[in-house]
Amino acid sequence: MLPEFRCDCPFTSALDILGDKWMLVIIKQMLIEGKETFKDFTESEEAIATNILSTKLKLLEELGIIVKTKRPNNKKTNLYLLTDTGLALTPILVELATWSDKYLRDIHPGIVNGEEMQLLRNDKAAFASRLEKKYREKLAAN
Amino acid sequence: MLPEFRCDCPFTSALDILGDKWMLVIIKQMLIEGKETFKDFTESEEAIATNILSTKLKLLEELGIIVKTKRPNNKKTNLYLLTDTGLALTPILVELATWSDKYLRDIHPGIVNGEEMQLLRNDKAAFASRLEKKYREKLAAN
DNA sequence: ATAATTACTTGCATTTTGCAAGTTATAATG
DNA sequence: CATTATAACTTGCAAAATGCAAGTAATTAT
């Protein structure tokens, strides 16, 4: 079921949809970690419970952020893929990671700090469009 | 009390802090609506409950996202102000509003659509730096 | 034919959020 | 200067979201 909107503020309205512990994490797993099946998500580092995953995937689909499909030769495995609306969340994720990188290391030193983070620091916009491009190529390959 | 981090992912870590219904709404109210006292927040359109407000303000302070102060001549009224760490959340808010503007109007037609939104569409980066500048000027005026 | 895999659902415990009322300290008012 | 109002909370309890563990149904692999 679609959530209610608290008011007409564009900032708050985005958070009425995305402002919880899981929605953007699921999007991240799809965009960055290439996860696409129910099982993929359950095996993630963040360890989402299956009942919550199920609820959130339904909501994301209802909102048009993802679509649920199957491969023609497999009746068992569902594929969850980002739509344009979902891919348009990339800049939000990039800004979240940028903020983490700059301000969260003090209280959480373990945050990953490899080559990908260098690319992010170096050019946020390029990082975002590279992610989107890669995802679209993957979609085209299906 | 500081929240726990689910893992070392920079995206997920940001959401461990900001991924709820209220944290970024409070930041938005400070940055965009100029709210700075406990009462200001309780009078907001989003109608946050006082117990939750109290909890979140404490957490934001503990995280160094805001500071709590007073004006020299008023012992009663507390002022909550954004730090640099808090101001650095501006790009996230801007991206959230941009996404709302483009993709949420279908299911929530009431989203405000005035002159400010035109400015946002026209130049996101300029919109963000204008917000930050305005806030810093206000801080300097105190 | 049997076992394993995938995608869930269900029941219950815990945590977070929300509402309404109460409390304390300071400030304004007559 | 006594009374009232205001600001900033806290407390108790209800409701909703999240989390855990176990179970189920429909494929697919062996």
Side-chain angles (χ1 to χ4, degrees):
Chain A
M1 237 231 312
L2 288 171
E4 277 179 20
F5 290 98
R6 280 173 279 191
C7 58
D8 293 340
C9 170
F11 301 92
T12 303
S13 297
L15 293 165
D16 285 332
I17 301 296
L18 305 168
D20 80 348
K21 200 168 164 179
W22 290 112
M23 295 288 273
L24 284 170
V25 168
I26 293 170
I27 305 299
K28 176 216 75 164
Q29 291 177 354
M30 297 176 78
L31 181 67
I32 291 160
E33 295 160 14
K35 301 201 186 287
E36 46 186 25
T37 69
F38 195 92
K39 185 151 186 287
D40 286 343
F41 295 116
T42 63
E43 287 168 346
S44 71
E45 216 180 359
E46 287 92 353
I48 187 169
T50 57
N51 54 345
I52 296 163
L53 177 58
S54 180
T55 304
K56 296 298 179 186
L57 287 173
K58 269 171 203 151
L59 178 56
L60 285 167
E61 199 189 351
E62 201 176 0
L63 290 162
I65 292 172
I66 66 174
V67 283
K68 185 179 181 175
T69 47
K70 287 181 194 286
R71 264 188 256 274
N73 56 346
N74 188 330
K75 290 183 181 173
K76 190 176 166 184
T77 307
N78 291 324
L79 291 182
Y80 297 95
L81 301 172
L82 292 168
T83 61
D84 284 345
T85 303
L87 264 173
L89 296 168
T90 308
I92 298 171
L93 289 172
V94 166
E95 293 298 345
L96 285 167
T98 300
W99 184 79
S100 285
D101 180 44
K102 279 193 204 160
Y103 298 99
L104 236 42
R105 293 194 182 279
D106 286 350
I107 57 169
H108 184 25
I111 291 177
V112 293
N113 202 354
E115 199 177 324
E116 286 294 302
M117 292 307 285
Q118 297 276 4
L119 291 173
L120 174 64
R121 268 172 230 138
N122 206 55
D123 189 340
K124 278 194 295 195
F127 191 88
S129 52
R130 188 174 59 94
L131 281 176
E132 289 190 44
K133 194 184 165 207
K134 265 183 72 176
Y135 196 85
R136 284 186 200 285
E137 282 166 8
K138 167 206 177 126
L139 286 183
N142 276 342
Chain B
M1 238 231 311
L2 288 171
E4 276 179 20
F5 291 99
R6 281 173 278 192
C7 59
D8 293 340
C9 170
F11 302 92
T12 303
S13 296
L15 292 165
D16 285 332
I17 301 295
L18 305 169
D20 79 348
K21 201 168 163 179
W22 291 112
M23 295 287 274
L24 284 170
V25 168
I26 292 170
I27 305 299
K28 175 214 76 163
Q29 292 177 354
M30 297 176 78
L31 181 67
I32 291 161
E33 294 160 13
K35 301 200 185 288
E36 47 186 25
T37 69
F38 195 91
K39 186 153 187 288
D40 287 343
F41 295 117
T42 63
E43 287 168 345
S44 71
E45 217 181 358
E46 287 92 354
I48 187 168
T50 57
N51 55 345
I52 295 164
L53 178 58
S54 180
T55 304
K56 296 299 179 186
L57 287 173
K58 269 172 203 150
L59 178 56
L60 285 166
E61 200 189 350
E62 201 175 359
L63 289 162
I65 292 171
I66 66 174
V67 284
K68 186 179 180 175
T69 47
K70 287 181 195 286
R71 264 187 255 275
N73 55 347
N74 187 330
K75 290 183 180 174
K76 190 176 166 185
T77 306
N78 290 324
L79 291 182
Y80 297 95
L81 300 171
L82 291 168
T83 61
D84 284 345
T85 303
L87 265 173
L89 295 168
T90 308
I92 298 171
L93 289 172
V94 166
E95 293 298 345
L96 284 168
T98 300
W99 184 79
S100 285
D101 180 45
K102 279 193 205 161
Y103 298 101
L104 236 43
R105 295 193 182 279
D106 287 349
I107 57 169
H108 184 24
I111 291 175
V112 294
N113 201 353
E115 199 177 323
E116 285 294 301
M117 292 307 285
Q118 296 276 3
L119 292 173
L120 175 64
R121 268 171 230 139
N122 205 57
D123 189 339
K124 279 194 295 195
F127 190 89
S129 51
R130 189 173 58 93
L131 281 176
E132 288 190 45
K133 194 184 166 207
K134 266 184 70 176
Y135 195 87
R136 284 185 200 284
E137 281 166 8
K138 166 208 178 125
L139 286 183
N142 277 343

